[in-house]
Amino acid sequence: EEGAAVEEAAEERASELQSRIDRSEGECDALKAQLAGVVKERDALLKKLDAAREEVKRKGEEALEGQRSVEAGLAEQVSSMERLVKVQREEAHEAREAHERALESKAKSLRDELEGQLGEERRRREVKERELVVAKDEVDDLRSESSRQRADIGRLRGELKDANEELEGQRG
């Protein structure tokens, strides 16, 4: 009779331990699934971060190349206009003073116009630079999110490790 009671108590204890093990395994599986989801989300964020970096780099390179091209074109236009003024001065030998005043006026107007264009291009470049700053801020935000995700992954790994150790302890 005493042996049957001990056996029944042992079976009860074994059933209890099995229930705890089953619960722990379920919790462990849930944590594993959560960790997999976080890792997948982190990978997606990293891909998005890489794409954003490439886009920022591409836009920056395009903006700089466009700016260089515009500046070179404007510089060539200014240089060309200055050469034109010089040639026209030499050809206008007889009516030098009147002709020089007219040419200088024309050069000033063209220079003002070109400087206006250059100012507009500078404003466009500043807008592009601001867009680049915004894009860099977005990249920084993605980096921060990625860091938070890595911290979450570390925490979940710790919880998973603890759950595994508890499970091993219960099995042992």
Side-chain angles (χ1 to χ4, degrees):
E1 198 174 296
E2 214 175 285
V6 168
E7 187 178 324
E8 186 179 320
E11 283 179 15
E12 223 175 272
R13 178 71 178 144
S15 174
E16 208 176 279
L17 287 174
Q18 185 61 45
S19 292
R20 287 181 66 194
I21 288 170
D22 291 345
R23 272 195 312 276
S24 293
E25 286 176 342
E27 289 172 8
C28 186
D29 290 343
L31 285 172
K32 284 179 183 177
Q34 188 178 1
L35 176 60
V38 168
V39 167
K40 185 176 180 180
E41 189 176 332
R42 185 213 55 201
D43 290 345
L45 284 171
L46 289 175
K47 284 182 183 179
K48 190 174 180 181
L49 175 62
D50 289 342
R53 281 184 186 144
E54 286 301 316
E55 182 68 14
V56 166
K57 181 179 174 184
R58 185 185 60 76
K59 282 185 177 181
E61 288 171 355
E62 286 175 3
L64 289 175
E65 184 58 36
Q67 186 60 34
R68 284 188 200 113
S69 175
V70 167
E71 288 175 356
L74 291 175
E76 179 58 36
Q77 286 179 347
V78 168
S79 175
S80 176
M81 291 311 301
E82 288 172 350
R83 286 192 304 269
L84 176 63
V85 168
K86 182 179 177 184
V87 167
Q88 288 177 346
R89 280 183 184 157
E90 292 170 359
E91 293 173 351
H93 183 65
E94 295 176 38
R96 189 168 195 88
E97 287 183 19
H99 198 60
E100 282 180 357
R101 284 191 298 270
L103 289 175
E104 287 171 359
S105 175
K106 181 178 179 183
K108 183 185 181 309
S109 295
L110 289 171
R111 188 172 289 117
D112 290 347
E113 180 182 332
L114 290 174
E115 286 175 355
Q117 290 175 1
L118 184 59
E120 181 61 33
E121 286 304 318
R122 284 185 182 135
R123 284 187 288 282
R124 285 187 190 131
R125 183 186 70 218
E126 289 169 3
V127 167
K128 287 185 187 242
E129 288 172 351
R130 285 192 296 273
E131 291 173 350
L132 185 61
V133 166
V134 168
K136 285 180 181 178
D137 287 345
E138 291 174 358
V139 168
D140 289 342
D141 290 345
L142 288 172
R143 283 185 182 136
S144 294
E145 180 61 28
S146 179
S147 293
R148 284 192 294 275
Q149 296 263 332
R150 282 194 290 275
D152 287 345
I153 289 169
R155 181 183 52 75
L156 289 172
R157 283 184 178 152
E159 290 176 14
L160 180 61
K161 180 182 175 190
D162 292 345
N164 280 334
E165 287 174 0
E166 183 179 333
L167 183 62
E168 288 299 320
Q170 290 173 1
R171 286 184 181 160

